[in-house]
DNA sequence: ATCAATGCAAAGACTTTGCATGGTT
DNA sequence: AACCATGCAAAGTCTTTGCATTGAT
């Protein structure tokens, strides 16, 4: 059993909720992709192969997956939520290419330290953070120059 | 004439657009507040006093104000856009209190340097960034302890 | 039996757009 | 005359919710 499945089962069980076939399909599909997907993307890819779910169940299950700590919401400025895996991924931040829309993940050790400092100076109990850098990615710059 | 008005007039004129009474009201109202407001907030406060505008015009004018570099959109995780002043404000980032929703602005000189470093390492042409730190603010911690 | 989950369609929140009207240049 | 701006209501997008049905314990 995949670790995300075990965690999801436990999390649901601990709250008296059930691990249904629909929830299984949504979980599998969410962990098969490795991009930053939207609810509608997921519904679409499920419908293409399994067709065993409804829009409402997708939204409801994504919410559960977030609550169980398996997914998290990331917003990139559009009008819809994007989701990404938490399980098996250390904290990271994002570069967002304004030309092609590509999203690149990165981590930087100094960022944690900087965050601590800011919080200390501002007397704020910081728990999580997101850093997004907008600009133009290497590929797009390459394409432009040619 | 307030600087934001001069800029807005110029920006509109340069594009063959007009500085109308509605646009004036929306500009004034947007620069009278100093919080992170939503389109609906602005419409509401205009309706309370002047009542000379429609929802569509507010949305359309906010878009123009962003294009003219007077406002910028900031998202804090809800489902609606928030706007903040650009003019007269240096770049800053945000602390967001998860308990009371308060938004606190801060700047930190090291952040720029860190951003440069990241971009260099990732071969990314970074143009702007946003750092958001979520947590609990001093006031809320104070309240809890008592 | 009881309680939870699903699917559907309706409702909701926020935003954009088509169009007729009215104002500028 | 040509063009822009407004207001309204309709339409659009993304998401949530009410409710009847179905399924698990």
């Amino acid at each position: 059993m995949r670790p995300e499945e075990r965690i999801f089962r436990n999390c649901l069980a601990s709250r008296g909720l059930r691990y249904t076939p629909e929830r299984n399909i949504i979980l599998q599909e969410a962990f098969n992709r490795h991009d930053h997907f939207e609810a509608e993307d997921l519904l679409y890819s499920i419908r293409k192969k399994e067709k065993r779910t409804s829009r409402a169940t997708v939204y409801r299950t994504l919410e559960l997956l977030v609550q169980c700590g398996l997914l998290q919401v990331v917003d990139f400025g559009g009008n819809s939520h994007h989701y990404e895996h938490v399980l098996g991924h250390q904290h990271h931040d994002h570069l967002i290419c304004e030309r092609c829309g590509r999203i690149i993940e990165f981590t930087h050790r100094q960022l944690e330290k900087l965050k601590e400092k800011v919080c200390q100076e501002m007397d704020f109990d910081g728990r999580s953070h997101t850093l997004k850098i907008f600009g133009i990615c290497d590929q797009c710059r390459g394409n432009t120059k040619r």
Side-chain angles (χ1 to χ4, degrees), chain A residues 30-47:
Chain A
F31 276 82
N32 279 343
R33 10 171 96 231
H34 294 280
D35 54 347
H36 297 85
F37 60 90
E38 304 177 31
E40 295 291 332
D41 296 332
L42 200 63
L43 179 64
Y44 179 74
S45 55
I46 291 173
R47 289 248 164 106

Side-chain angles (χ1 to χ4, degrees), chain A residues 37 43 45-47 60 84 86-87 113 134 137 146:
Chain A
F37 60 90
L43 179 64
S45 55
I46 291 173
R47 289 248 164 106
R60 287 191 274 235
E84 67 176 22
V86 173
L87 183 69
K113 275 191 242 159
F134 299 87
C137 73
R146 270 166 220 153

Side-chain angles (χ1 to χ4, degrees), chain A residues 2-103:
Chain A
R2 296 213 268 178
E4 57 267 21
E5 186 177 333
R6 167 162 293 113
I7 293 172
F8 196 28
R9 281 181 184 275
N10 286 343
C11 178
L12 290 172
S14 75
R15 298 165 59 181
L17 305 177
R18 295 164 194 159
Y19 191 78
T20 64
E22 289 80 4
R23 288 177 182 168
N24 180 53
I25 289 169
I26 293 165
L27 173 72
Q28 301 304 329
E29 197 59 35
F31 276 82
N32 279 343
R33 10 171 96 231
H34 294 280
D35 54 347
H36 297 85
F37 60 90
E38 304 177 31
E40 295 291 332
D41 296 332
L42 200 63
L43 179 64
Y44 179 74
S45 55
I46 291 173
R47 289 248 164 106
K48 264 205 313 201
K49 39 180 108 154
E50 321 238 15
K51 69 166 52 169
R52 293 247 289 120
T53 197
S54 69
R55 171 168 283 108
T57 300
V58 167
Y59 278 96
R60 287 191 274 235
T61 304
L62 284 172
E63 172 64 23
L64 287 171
L65 288 167
V66 169
Q67 287 172 14
C68 293
L70 291 166
L71 295 182
Q72 71 184 2
V73 175
V74 214
D75 286 317
F76 296 111
N79 7 354
S80 58
H81 284 158
H82 290 244
Y83 294 86
E84 67 176 22
H85 301 173
V86 173
L87 183 69
H89 288 252
Q90 58 173 327
H91 172 79
H92 57 262
D93 291 286
H94 298 100
L95 305 174
I96 298 138
C97 179
E98 292 176 325
R99 196 164 298 164
C100 69
R102 190 155 70 107
I103 291 159

Side-chain angles (χ1 to χ4, degrees), chain A residues 106-133:
Chain A
F106 74 92
T107 57
H108 202 292
R109 50 221 164 287
Q110 275 176 259
L111 186 52
E112 284 299 323
K113 275 191 242 159
L114 180 54
K115 177 185 148 196
E116 304 279 300
K117 247 191 224 169
V118 169
C119 289
Q120 207 176 324
E121 287 176 18
M122 303 292 295
D123 191 16
F124 189 80
D125 178 15
R127 297 188 173 179
S128 62
H129 73 269
T130 64
L131 172 62
K132 291 176 196 132
I133 302 179

